[in-house]
Amino acid sequence: MSSTQFNAGQTHGKTQAKTEQWVESCKDSANTAHDKAAHAADQSAGFLQQTGEQVKSMAQGAIDGVKNTLGVGDNNNRK
């Protein structure tokens, strides 16, 4: 085997190793990004659920207030 062939083989091996390192690095970056996105989505879902419950409670309070003002609320029917 000539030194040119040896050098070409050696260069090919180094290039292949670097490519594999780069691919693994990309996979790691993609997994990290995926994990962060999933965590953010979970936090957003929890926030939206909590906000929805608060709005629902406030709306029910407003409805009860209007009913009581009009004399049709539960408190007025028990007399």
Side-chain angles (χ1 to χ4, degrees), residues 4-62:
T4 303
Q5 289 174 327
F6 177 78
N7 288 339
Q10 194 175 30
T11 300
H12 176 75
K14 287 180 181 179
T15 302
Q16 187 174 3
K18 287 288 184 184
T19 300
E20 289 172 4
Q21 287 174 351
W22 181 76
V23 167
E24 286 302 313
S25 176
C26 288
K27 285 180 184 179
D28 291 344
S29 295
N31 286 334
T32 300
H34 175 267
D35 292 345
K36 285 182 179 181
H39 181 68
D42 288 345
Q43 285 183 329
S44 295
F47 172 77
L48 291 174
Q49 182 177 4
Q50 184 180 17
T51 301
E53 292 296 325
Q54 289 173 346
V55 169
K56 179 180 170 185
S57 178
M58 288 171 45
Q60 187 61 51

